[in-house]
Amino acid sequence: MGPNFDVVVVGAGIFGSCTAYHCQKLGLKTLLLEQFNLGHSNGSSHGKSRIIRYAHASPEYVPLVGDAYSQIEEFEKKRGEKLWNKLGLLWTATGNQVNEISGHLKNLNIEHSVIPGNEISNHYPQLKFDEKWTGLIDPMGGVIYANKWLNAFQEEFKNLGGVIHENEPVLSHTETETGGITVTTVADSYSTTKVIYTVGCWITKFFPNVNFDIKPTSLAVCYWNTKEKKNAHLVDEKHFPVFIVKDLENDEEFLGLPDVDYPGKLKFLTDDGDALTEDLGHPDKQTDRLIEMPRGFIKEHIPVIDGSKPFTVEKCKYTSSPDHHYVIGPISENYPNILVGGCGSGSGFKVAPGIGRALAEMAAGKERTTENWFLRLDSMVAVR
């Protein structure tokens, strides 16, 4: 039997790393376990870039975003490291969605502006939209340096005395007669009072008797060249925003980021994917539509980009709930000492610091810093 811990966090992606950091910061002796090597590309937390923004279709998330901005500012000062870049976010959509989001932001006194689609090119000449589109500019939007965020929370966790074991898959957990929990891995067993699972799509493997009603998918993360090399600077961080597209007429969603991952290459992908295999792996071949959808959009709306074929395509596992809210809290009323945090794909990276704080406060039995009643686990799962 290995050493005793107050909390064992399973999964060292961005949710788990933020959670472990906040547990240790609250004085809880914490072990963070990862089945692969740290920073691996088998899940949802790898890569160099993600989007951060206040603009959100669900206004409940704004306080969590504000918490993330505060935490990252603190880390940047402490570490002397740039962890994100304020570029501005463009959210463009058909229908009335932009006006609805604007209403939420006005109620929360969040600075933003709304512009007709045919004026978007006045702000971003690389883009072309007509009057059926509406744009919202969130000046606090920007790009997260994702690999640096992940590394920062893991390093600060260790600086506080936290322990990380990588390449150590968890096999099971069992509750003892005295109310404790034993976590068994391929290498050892650990005693603890709380276990927090932040394992993405693998959550169904640990709780086969719980219906999480989630369908993990494999995204095709596409990177595209400009048509002319001389225009490569038009997709860099000085000239290009982070942007979100919601084509409600055609039920299509896209995400775009400047060339953080590959110089001169636009990151642009559809917010859709193929089903994972039974063993939760990526399919051998992704369907053509995952390339065709962004290609069609590029041809019509991003004329500086060569949409004939991507420069490269990477894969990312994507786990979300049916209502796209996060899954946070005890696994059930009968098991209050076993918590989960997940279903954050698509928008969770930017709020992971706040999610981590919330899970740590739950584990410590403390009042939560931010109001997050909507992050309820029992609203979407049922024990078989």
Side-chain angles (χ1 to χ4, degrees), residues 88-109:
L89 163 89
L90 171 67
W91 185 308
T92 183
T94 57
N96 196 47
Q97 186 183 58
V98 163
N99 291 322
E100 292 174 355
I101 295 171
S102 176
H104 301 326
L105 297 178
K106 286 178 181 177
N107 290 336
L108 295 166
N109 296 315

Side-chain angles (χ1 to χ4, degrees), residues 20-199:
Y21 164 76
H22 279 288
C23 285
Q24 193 72 27
K25 189 177 181 181
L26 288 175
L28 302 173
K29 184 181 178 183
T30 304
L31 170 65
L32 177 59
L33 294 170
E34 172 53 54
Q35 64 175 322
F36 303 112
N37 60 292
L38 295 180
H40 65 86
S41 59
N42 299 303
S44 304
S45 295
H46 58 286
K48 295 182 179 180
S49 63
R50 295 294 191 280
I51 293 173
I52 188 168
R53 29 87 180 194
Y54 273 126
H56 207 292
S58 299
E60 304 96 331
Y61 288 97
V62 172
L64 285 172
V65 179
D67 188 21
Y69 280 125
S70 297
Q71 290 190 46
I72 294 307
E73 181 182 8
E74 178 184 335
F75 268 28
E76 286 187 328
K77 290 179 180 178
K78 182 177 183 179
R79 297 171 60 84
E81 180 182 21
K82 189 173 179 63
L83 297 173
W84 77 292
N85 194 2
K86 180 182 174 182
L87 310 176
L89 163 89
L90 171 67
W91 185 308
T92 183
T94 57
N96 196 47
Q97 186 183 58
V98 163
N99 291 322
E100 292 174 355
I101 295 171
S102 176
H104 301 326
L105 297 178
K106 286 178 181 177
N107 290 336
L108 295 166
N109 296 315
I110 301 295
E111 180 186 355
H112 69 285
S113 57
V114 174
I115 55 176
N118 55 13
E119 293 183 12
I120 289 175
S121 60
N122 295 338
H123 298 264
Y124 306 108
Q126 307 94 322
L127 304 174
K128 183 178 70 174
F129 293 93
D130 59 26
E131 62 278 354
K132 78 175 183 179
W133 295 84
T134 308
L136 182 146
I137 297 176
D138 173 1
M140 278 298 292
V143 61
I144 294 167
Y145 299 138
N147 56 331
K148 293 183 178 181
W149 272 39
L150 186 63
N151 182 65
F153 276 98
Q154 290 170 355
E155 286 190 350
E156 294 303 321
F157 168 63
K158 289 188 290 185
N159 290 342
L160 291 172
V163 178
I164 302 179
H165 290 181
E166 57 185 319
N167 298 307
E168 188 171 342
V170 170
L171 300 176
S172 64
H173 68 262
T174 55
E175 294 197 85
T176 65
E177 293 181 357
T178 58
I181 301 172
T182 300
V183 177
T184 302
T185 73
V186 295
D188 211 335
S189 295
Y190 308 95
S191 296
T192 185
T193 55
K194 302 277 186 180
V195 180
I196 305 176
Y197 283 90
T198 53
V199 292

